[in-house]
Structures are given as structure tokens and as C-alpha cells.
Amino acid sequence: NAGVTQTPKFQVLKTGQSMTLQCAQDMNHNSMYWYRQDPGMGLRLIYYSASEGTTDKGEVPNGYNVSRLNKREFSLRLESAAPSQTSVYFCASSEVEAGGKDTQYFGPGTRLTVL
Amino acid sequence: QKEVEQNSGPLSVPEGAIASLNCTYSDRGSQSFFWYRQYSGKSPELIMFIYSNGDKEDGRFTAQLNKASQYVSLLIRDSQPSDSATYLCAVNMFYNTGKLIFGQGTTLQVKP
């Protein structure tokens, strides 16, 4: 039971290059999330998927696209990378439990640098 | 603008003391509240969840919620050096979704 996995762990891009960050979960959760974390900024939600086939913008969606490929996988794409997208990216998944508790389980993160 | 505010710290306490971390939030209709712990270079992990006013205790951790004043706090009793981490407050401000707004985190240092 791997939980939430992310690939790659590290990536360096040049300005204007594109890439896709992959995320998969094996907990059969309906909801999945993409966050970015910058120093002193906490976690900011980029996109959210409540279930397979649905996606919704978060706080900072500009410059990103997402695909909920199936229940397990949720990918994040940078079409034309910019230095402002240098950050650590976390994927998470969750399912509502009894009492309304909705614990998000996080992947190990992808550290992205855009030169 | 939905916001969650925390003092970024660092908060430094001696080993064995009580660490008190605070968080305020902007949306009065917020339903549920979370504390995540994040060690340096690692991903966040949930340590406390609270949704009703009052205190909730789990081992050395106590979460306190006051919806009227729009704040939530985390107390760590008998602080240990292994508690040194960044503590993130997160609030669900979106009805019937799992979306969270995170604060910027408070860095806690427990000195032996």
C-alpha cells in the first residue's frame, strides 16, 4: 500500500519548456488535489478533483492544467514554464470519513526549478 | 478573500514546556479545521481535526476551537525535540467539498 506517489521527485526546466507531473493514489479516494508550496507561503491549492471526470480551480490555477485520468491518477501540466513556477508541488487525496472528517494524505512532493 | 493567518515564528520552547500555536480565519461559515505537521523536506501529515467549539485532546496534543472569535489553536504538552517542525493550520471554507485553505505555517523549535 504505497499511499500517494508522485513522479518525478526533482526536475529542472528552462523557461518555456513544458512538463507533466504525475500523481497516483491506491487508497480508492474520490478527491484529489494539487498544491504548490513556496517559502513562507504555506500550501496553495492549484486544482482540485472531487471525482473521476471532474476538476475545479483552486487559489492559483493560472499557468497550469490538470487531467483526472481515472480514479487513481491526477496529473498536473505546465504548458510553458516560467521562473515564478519554481516551487515544491504536492499531490494529495482524501475521502470523507464518519463525522465529516476529510483527511488529506500527501505525496512526497516534486521539487521543480525553472531557470 | 478567504484567508487563514498564522504567526510564522519561529516559536522556541524548552523541552518539557507547553507550546501554543494559534491560527485565525476569515470565513465565519467555516466548518472543519485541521492541524498538519511538516518536517523539513517532508510532506504534511495530519495530527488533529476539530469541527465543534471547545477542546479536543489526543495524547500530548489539544486542539481548541472558538468559532465566535474565529480562531483555532494547538497546544503541545511536554514538548519534545522531535516536535520541532512546521505546523500548518488548514480550514475548510467550501461547503460540501474537501478544499482547504492553509495558513503559512508556524515553525516550532524545541530546545533540549
Side-chain angles (χ1 to χ4, degrees):
Chain A
N1 194 345
V4 180
T5 57
Q6 292 182 237
T7 56
K9 286 188 168 52
F10 301 93
Q11 184 71 48
V12 179
L13 294 178
K14 294 181 180 177
T15 297
Q17 287 185 316
S18 62
M19 79 160 296
T20 299
L21 281 65
Q22 306 286 354
C23 174
Q25 53 95 5
D26 61 3
M27 295 174 283
N28 202 35
H29 289 167
N30 278 306
S31 300
M32 297 186 73
Y33 313 79
W34 275 106
Y35 293 92
R36 60 177 290 172
Q37 187 173 35
D38 303 299
M41 297 288 288
L43 289 159
R44 291 185 292 169
L45 183 65
I46 305 171
Y47 269 95
Y48 158 68
S49 172
S51 61
E52 183 180 350
T54 68
T55 61
D56 190 16
K57 293 179 180 179
E59 301 170 78
V60 289
N62 291 343
Y64 305 96
N65 285 302
V66 290
S67 295
R68 184 73 184 268
L69 304 168
N70 47 55
K71 192 171 185 179
R72 289 187 65 247
E73 298 171 291
F74 189 35
S75 62
L76 178 72
R77 182 159 178 85
L78 287 71
E79 290 291 351
S80 179
S84 60
Q85 294 179 304
T86 294
S87 189
V88 180
Y89 290 85
F90 288 103
C91 177
S93 70
S94 74
E95 194 69 42
V96 178
E97 303 165 33
K101 183 180 177 183
D102 193 349
T103 303
Q104 293 191 18
Y105 296 87
F106 287 82
T110 294
R111 194 171 296 272
L112 175 67
T113 302
V114 183
L115 302 174
Chain B
Q1 182 80 355
K2 297 181 186 293
E3 293 182 334
V4 176
E5 297 287 339
Q6 296 180 255
N7 186 328
S8 59
L11 172 66
S12 183
V13 301
E15 183 175 356
I18 296 175
S20 177
L21 298 91
N22 299 312
C23 171
T24 59
Y25 58 95
S26 61
D27 191 327
R28 188 172 288 277
S30 299
Q31 297 295 311
S32 51
F33 308 84
F34 303 78
W35 283 98
Y36 282 82
R37 178 177 62 199
Q38 186 176 27
Y39 292 113
S40 181
K42 301 296 185 182
S43 54
E45 58 177 335
L46 182 70
I47 55 171
M48 289 295 286
F49 162 75
I50 187 167
Y51 64 92
S52 56
N53 276 329
D55 294 1
K56 180 181 179 182
E57 188 173 314
D58 184 359
R60 295 187 296 112
F61 298 97
T62 299
Q64 299 175 317
L65 175 61
N66 184 325
K67 288 187 177 181
S69 300
Q70 294 174 239
Y71 83 78
V72 57
S73 61
L74 179 71
L75 300 179
I76 306 174
R77 290 181 300 281
D78 188 24
S79 295
Q80 301 297 308
S82 58
D83 295 325
S84 297
T86 296
Y87 290 81
L88 299 164
C89 173
V91 180
N92 185 327
M93 298 183 185
F94 304 91
Y95 178 73
N96 210 29
T97 78
K99 292 197 289 187
L100 299 176
I101 300 290
F102 281 81
Q104 66 268 46
T106 298
T107 298
L108 173 66
Q109 297 173 346
V110 181
K111 297 189 181 301

